[in-house]
Amino acid sequence: QRRVRGGSRQLTQSPSFFKMENGNNNHKNTKEEPVETIPPEVAVEIQNKQYFDSYANLGIHEEMIKDKIRTEAYRKAIFSNPSDFKDKVVLDLGCGTAILSFFCAQAGAKKVYAIEASDIAEQAKLVIQSNHMEHTIILLKGRIEDVELPEKVDVIVSEWMGYLLLYESMLNSVIFARDNWLKPEGKLYPSEANMYLTPFCDDGFYETHVEFWRDVYGIDFSTLIPYAKKCAVSEPHVEYLLPQMQASFPTKFLTLDCTTITKDSLNQLYCDFSTNCIISGTIHGLACWFDVVFKGSNQTVTLTTSPDTGGTHWRQTLFYFLEPIPLLQDDSIQGKIIIKPNPGNNRLLDIDISVKTKMGAFNQHHQMK
């Protein structure tokens, strides 16, 4: 199943209002005036409100906390690096229910500033108070760009990753916090992110979403097949990729150093890739996933969303090809992936993929809504 973090499948990209006379929708008696487009800065505020409102639902946080691979990786990274947390000042950015703030406090942090912009902050405050931790964990409701901390911090902890790593654009807030509130020798948890891909085989997808239209209750709908293909592949699919569907070994195509990356560099990421098939078969698309690395003073811990290491709530991101490609073992697949924020809503993503094989070359555009 597809799940956009925040519980909403699609955020508004270009909001506009229609002014209706007489206060009704009777077209015979109603004059439709020209569309009034909301100014860009107002549209951004609406999009931000939608985003933060979606995180007020406790179900989202339940799913993330129950993701043991995710939660236990953060816990291990924090507990395994006492040099980074004992008697330190920590910023938990986007704290949600404050679970990571509690981990930091348990690891000996002197002070934890827990920042949360959504209304779940009110619930987190109750949890902090009921555990008598309000003198150690200081909850501040608001966006990090708007909050004034009383001091610089030694460590920034944040679970900022979205689908395809960059969906929701929260890394921008981490960069802001790093540049404005982290001490010069401070630590970022995580400090590095990597993205990987593999070509994959999935005959069932085309059987379900394309071949279905050849015969619908005895009626020939095959004229819709070109449009069915277009609709089926235009958006990435966030699903679990079975290990046996992989057609190559994982190929790393992007590394982000969170300690140095700039907001401007995220405006458009160009990523070349090259891999070789380890099987003979029909390639139906490319699957992507990520890992993040906590480079602590005492120990390095990695959180991976690989299909080979169990399921996380991030799953994998699958980009299906418009036309499947028959390839043999050892055949190469090369190309480029360009990832950039959607111009209408920078929390969404536009992805352009170029692929070259012995069968030819093609380009595809995808929108992650």
Side-chain angles (χ1 to χ4, degrees):
Q1 291 183 345
R2 175 90 189 276
R3 172 186 164 269
V4 171
R5 293 180 63 188
S8 173
R9 182 177 173 83
Q10 181 172 347
L11 300 179
T12 305
Q13 296 188 65
S14 55
S16 60
F17 294 115
F18 291 89
K19 295 182 178 178
M20 308 297 290
E21 292 185 356
N22 303 324
N24 61 57
N25 291 324
N26 187 331
H27 293 287
K28 292 183 179 179
N29 301 315
T30 302
K31 177 182 178 183
E32 187 176 290
E33 295 184 358
V35 174
E36 178 185 344
T37 301
I38 294 178
E41 63 275 11
V42 178
V44 169
E45 287 304 312
I46 292 174
Q47 293 157 5
N48 284 336
K49 185 177 186 305
Q50 290 177 322
Y51 169 71
F52 291 121
D53 284 352
S54 68
Y55 275 92
N57 188 311
L58 189 60
I60 301 300
H61 302 277
E62 177 184 344
E63 181 180 11
M64 290 190 287
I65 291 174
K66 285 181 175 178
D67 182 344
K68 287 190 175 182
I69 293 176
R70 163 203 180 266
T71 305
E72 292 181 5
Y74 272 87
R75 188 173 185 269
K76 180 179 180 181
I78 292 167
F79 284 11
S80 299
N81 288 284
S83 298
D84 293 338
F85 291 91
K86 179 67 173 175
D87 298 323
K88 302 296 185 180
V89 179
V90 180
L91 168 60
D92 179 4
L93 179 57
C95 70
T97 58
I99 182 65
L100 301 185
S101 297
F102 279 100
F103 291 164
C104 295
Q106 291 171 348
K110 178 173 61 177
K111 191 76 68 179
V112 182
Y113 295 107
I115 309 295
E116 176 58 43
S118 80
D119 287 343
I120 200 68
E122 304 301 326
Q123 306 306 315
K125 186 176 182 179
L126 295 176
V127 177
I128 293 167
Q129 291 173 342
S130 66
N131 283 274
H132 310 292
M133 294 296 292
E134 59 267 30
H135 297 299
T136 300
I137 302 175
I138 312 301
L139 193 141
L140 301 172
K141 187 174 187 296
R143 299 170 65 243
I144 186 61
E145 293 84 357
D146 303 323
V147 169
E148 189 73 19
L149 297 182
E151 58 186 317
K152 298 273 188 174
V153 302
D154 300 292
V155 187
I156 295 175
V157 174
S158 182
E159 197 274 77
W160 53 264
M161 301 82 72
Y163 295 139
L164 197 65
L165 183 65
L166 298 171
Y167 183 77
E168 293 184 341
S169 196
M170 191 180 165
L171 182 54
N172 289 336
S173 294
V174 175
I175 293 170
F176 179 92
R178 179 199 69 195
D179 293 346
N180 288 273
W181 296 111
L182 187 63
K183 293 178 181 178
E185 301 302 319
K187 292 282 189 177
L188 279 176
Y189 275 62
S191 55
E192 180 184 292
N194 303 287
M195 295 185 71
Y196 304 83
L197 64 75
T198 180
F200 67 90
C201 306
D202 184 8
D203 290 314
F205 178 83
Y206 288 85
E207 190 69 31
T208 300
H209 299 288
V210 178
E211 295 301 317
F212 161 80
W213 293 104
R214 293 195 183 279
D215 184 346
V216 181
Y217 287 92
I219 303 169
D220 181 5
F221 273 65
S222 59
T223 187
L224 296 184
I225 284 180
Y227 186 59
K229 288 182 180 179
K230 181 180 178 181
C231 291
V233 308
S234 62
E235 282 192 61
H237 293 252
V238 177
E239 299 173 358
Y240 291 115
L241 180 73
L242 299 177
Q244 61 266 29
M245 295 167 66
Q246 298 179 55
S248 79
F249 294 115
T251 299
K252 184 190 296 188
F253 67 91
L254 175 67
T255 295
L256 300 178
D257 184 346
C258 300
T259 66
T260 59
I261 193 168
T262 64
K263 185 177 177 180
D264 287 345
S265 66
L266 294 175
N267 288 336
Q268 191 155 267
L269 294 169
Y270 290 85
C271 314
D272 293 314
F273 68 88
S274 180
T275 189
N276 293 89
C277 291
I278 57 174
I279 62 169
S280 296
T282 301
I283 307 303
H284 296 92
L286 296 175
C288 299
W289 64 90
F290 65 86
D291 66 32
V292 293
V293 184
F294 305 85
K295 295 182 179 179
S297 299
N298 306 105
Q299 185 176 336
T300 295
V301 175
T302 300
L303 162 59
T304 180
T305 64
S306 166
D308 297 318
T309 55
T312 71
H313 77 282
W314 287 287
R315 302 174 176 84
Q316 289 80 45
T317 303
L318 278 55
F319 298 93
Y320 284 90
F321 297 154
L322 193 62
E323 298 293 341
I325 308 170
L327 293 176
L328 299 175
Q329 184 176 344
D330 297 325
D331 282 349
S332 68
I333 301 178
Q334 301 175 344
K336 181 187 293 289
I337 299 177
I338 302 174
I339 305 172
K340 56 188 176 182
N342 181 279
N345 185 340
N346 70 357
R347 295 194 183 278
L348 313 182
L349 294 176
D350 286 349
I351 306 103
D352 291 290
I353 299 179
S354 302
V355 174
K356 182 180 179 181
T357 71
K358 68 178 185 180
M359 303 300 294
F362 63 89
N363 303 312
Q364 282 190 198
H365 176 73
H366 304 263
Q367 284 192 332
M368 197 160 197
K369 300 179 180 180

